[in-house]
Amino acid sequence: MNYIYNNKEEENKLLDRFCRYVKIWSESDGKAADAGIFPSTERQWDIAKVLVKELRNLGTRNVYLTDNCYVVAKIDSNIVEPEERKKYPTILLMAHMDTVDDVSGENVKPVISMLSASESPTGQDDTIVKSDGTTLLGADDKAGISAIMAAVEYLMNHYEDEGLQHGPIEVMFSPDEETGHGMDKVPLNILKADYAVTVDAGDEGELEAECFNGWTAIVHFTGKTCHTGNGKANGMINAVTLAGEFAAALPHDMAPETTEGFEGFIAPLEINGTIESSSVEMILRSFYTDEIEKEKEIIKTAAEKVISKFGGSYEVEFKQQYLNMKAKLDERPEIMERLEKAFADAGVKPIKQPIRGGTDGSRLTELGIPTPNIFTGAHEFHSRNEWLSLNQCAKAADVLINLLTQKVK
Ligand SMILES: [Zn+2]
C-alpha cells in the first residue's frame, strides 16, 4: 500500500517538513567529537528541540530529550485487545540529526523543482530538492527524519483506519552520526525495541544489512635526532622518513581509491612527526574479520621492513570502531523478511547491498538491537550536489508504515 507516495496532500506536507529541517543548521564537528565533546556542536540542540516540539504536537505521549541530545519518542499501539497487540513487535525507527562537516550546512536554501519524467534524474515525474549550490542540502539524514515523521504522523492521524493497526513504536533522532560517535551515549535503558531500522541510505530500494568491520591503526615511529650537519657521523635516524617510507609501502591495490564492492582496504589518513618521532594514522576496513587480521599483519610487516632498512623502532595500536552487523542479523532472518515484505507492499524493489562504511545501526546491532538500514531518497551525500527525490522519500515513509502495520504472528 502507498499512503504518502502519490498522495498530493501528504507529499506536500513531507516536502514542507523536509525544507523546514534542512534550514536548521545542525552540522557536527569531527575534531570536537574525537576530543570527547558530546554532542560535538551546540547547534544540534536546535533541531532536537524542534523535533521534540513537533513530536509532542503529533500527540505522542512520551517524548524525551536526553541530557546528551537524543530525541526519543514512544508511540503506543492503537490496538486495544492485548492478545492481538502481541502480534506486532515494538520497532525503533532511527535517523540522525547532524550533517557532515566536510561541506557547510549553514544557511541552506532548498531549491525545489517539479520535473517531468524526461527531465528528472529519477526518470519519472518527480519533485527534486537541491541546495543553491553553496552548501550541502542535508538530506543526509533529514530525509530520514522526514520519512519517519511523515509515517508517524500518518499513523497517528489514521489510528482508526482498517489495516493500520500497529504495535508500539519508538522513534530516536540521534546526534553525531557523521563523526562516528552517534551511539556513544545512546539511551539504551529507555529503549524496548525488538529491532530497529535506520533510515539513512540513498536510492529507492536500498536495503542494507551488511557493513564494514572498522578498525583504526596508529603506527608510532621513533628515530634518533642530532644536528643535521652531523647526521651521518652521529647515526641519525629520521622518523619523518620512516613514516613516509611506511605509507609508501602499503599495498596500493588495497587502498580506498582502488577498491569497491566487497573489497576491503587500508587507508592512511594522517601523518605527523619530527626527526625524533612520527606517527601514521590509518583506518582498516573489511567485510570479513579474517581479512582485517590480514590487514593488521600487512601493517606490521610494512613497519618492520622500514625499521630493518632504516633503523629506529615502531609501535602499533589497533582499535576496533564497529563490527559488520551481518552475523547478528543472520541470527534474526525474520527481520529482513519483514522488511522485504514492507518494501514489496509499498511497491519498492529491494536492492540489497553492503554499506562501504559503518552506521549507527552497526553499533546498535552490537549493543543488542538488530538494525538494518533503508533508503531515504537522498543522493550524492556529503556534497554541494546533494539532492532529494520527493517520490522516493515518500516511498521510504510508506515502507515504514507497511512495516509498522505488519502482523507477524
Ligand atoms: Zn547519514
Side-chain angles (χ1 to χ4, degrees):
M1 278 284 286
N2 290 105
Y3 305 94
I4 312 289
Y5 173 64
N6 245 338
N7 176 333
K8 262 273 137 290
E9 194 191 329
E10 294 296 337
E11 282 196 351
N12 282 338
K13 273 201 282 184
L14 177 62
L15 180 62
D16 281 350
R17 188 185 284 291
F18 175 73
C19 291
R20 195 159 68 237
Y21 299 157
V22 298
K23 286 179 193 163
I24 306 170
W25 188 27
S26 61
E27 197 173 311
S28 51
D29 178 339
K31 285 252 180 313
D34 288 344
I37 298 168
F38 199 96
S40 63
T41 52
E42 285 295 313
R43 61 181 85 96
Q44 295 182 69
W45 291 99
D46 297 343
I47 187 164
K49 285 174 188 162
V50 168
L51 292 168
V52 164
K53 208 166 154 195
E54 292 196 8
L55 281 160
R56 290 212 170 113
N57 286 343
L58 292 183
T60 47
R61 196 163 50 94
N62 300 313
V63 186
Y64 313 94
L65 179 55
T66 75
D67 292 347
N68 295 306
C69 198
Y70 291 80
V71 177
V72 179
K74 307 222 174 192
I75 295 120
D76 290 333
S77 169
N78 59 348
I79 302 163
V80 182
E81 178 56 47
E83 280 310 306
E84 185 65 13
R85 205 185 301 152
K86 282 186 196 153
K87 296 173 184 167
Y88 297 80
T90 304
I91 301 173
L92 166 64
L93 306 180
M94 258 171 68
H96 64 89
M97 300 184 288
D98 64 319
T99 63
V100 77
D101 60 6
D102 298 342
V103 181
S104 171
E106 186 179 12
N107 202 8
V108 172
K109 297 186 197 76
V111 177
I112 301 164
S113 317
M114 311 231 217
L115 301 179
S116 66
S118 61
E119 300 164 318
S120 165
T122 56
Q124 49 178 230
D125 293 349
D126 202 346
T127 300
I128 303 296
V129 189
K130 286 182 140 183
S131 76
D132 65 0
T134 63
T135 63
L136 46 67
L137 177 62
D140 173 16
D141 186 25
K142 286 162 185 173
I145 297 176
S146 303
I148 291 171
M149 290 293 284
V152 169
E153 181 182 37
Y154 192 88
L155 286 174
M156 304 275 298
N157 286 344
H158 296 83
Y159 68 99
E160 282 180 318
D161 286 19
E162 191 66 40
L164 289 182
Q165 285 80 12
H166 61 81
I169 304 166
E170 295 182 333
V171 171
M172 182 162 72
F173 299 130
S174 56
D176 270 287
E177 192 270 350
E178 299 291 0
T179 65
H181 291 271
M183 291 295 105
D184 285 5
K185 311 266 183 192
V186 61
L188 265 190
N189 55 329
I190 59 170
L191 299 173
K192 301 261 182 298
D194 178 50
Y195 68 95
V197 176
T198 47
V199 188
D200 192 19
D203 199 10
E204 177 176 332
E206 285 179 6
L207 172 56
E208 304 171 328
E210 192 164 356
C211 66
F212 275 145
N213 295 291
W215 287 70
T216 59
I218 305 182
V219 178
H220 301 276
F221 290 103
T222 306
K224 188 182 164 204
T225 185
C226 64
H227 190 289
T228 45
N230 303 322
K232 187 170 180 182
N234 288 343
M236 183 176 113
I237 300 166
N238 189 342
V240 174
T241 306
L242 301 181
E245 290 284 335
F246 169 79
L250 294 173
H252 190 62
D253 59 354
M254 286 181 76
E257 58 269 40
T258 57
T259 50
E260 60 189 354
F262 281 95
E263 296 165 332
F265 61 75
I266 300 170
L269 299 185
E270 201 169 316
I271 299 185
N272 285 298
T274 59
I275 292 177
E276 195 165 31
S277 65
S278 65
S279 63
V280 182
E281 286 181 38
M282 289 154 282
I283 53 171
L284 281 56
R285 295 290 184 262
S286 172
F287 291 99
Y288 316 104
T289 42
D290 56 341
E291 190 178 45
I292 286 283
E293 293 310 312
K294 264 187 220 147
E295 290 180 352
K296 290 183 189 170
E297 285 309 312
I298 288 169
I299 286 168
K300 286 190 222 159
T301 309
E304 267 153 31
K305 257 194 192 150
V306 169
I307 295 304
S308 67
K309 189 167 169 196
F310 297 95
S313 63
Y314 84 96
E315 270 173 52
V316 60
E317 278 173 65
F318 295 109
K319 230 187 257 81
Q320 185 191 290
Q321 291 178 294
Y322 49 83
L323 286 175
N324 186 347
M325 55 197 180
K326 185 176 189 300
K328 286 258 157 61
L329 281 171
D330 281 350
E331 291 169 14
R332 297 278 312 273
E334 76 279 8
I335 295 172
M336 288 300 275
E337 282 162 21
R338 289 171 195 168
L339 265 165
E340 281 175 52
K341 182 172 185 315
F343 272 60
D345 291 344
V348 176
K349 194 171 170 299
I351 305 163
K352 286 207 237 169
Q353 59 171 24
I355 310 170
R356 286 181 63 81
T359 67
D360 279 348
S362 53
R363 290 279 307 280
L364 200 57
T365 302
E366 252 179 276
L367 293 170
I369 305 178
T371 309
N373 187 32
I374 74 159
F375 69 99
T376 58
H379 299 257
E380 298 189 53
F381 285 19
H382 302 186
S383 81
R384 288 181 173 80
N385 302 323
E386 194 187 4
W387 56 278
L388 177 84
S389 154
L390 185 63
N391 281 347
Q392 294 185 354
C393 191
K395 285 185 198 171
D398 285 343
V399 166
L400 297 177
I401 296 172
N402 282 299
L403 183 70
L404 295 166
T405 56
Q406 198 179 110
K407 197 193 281 196
V408 302
K409 282 176 205 159

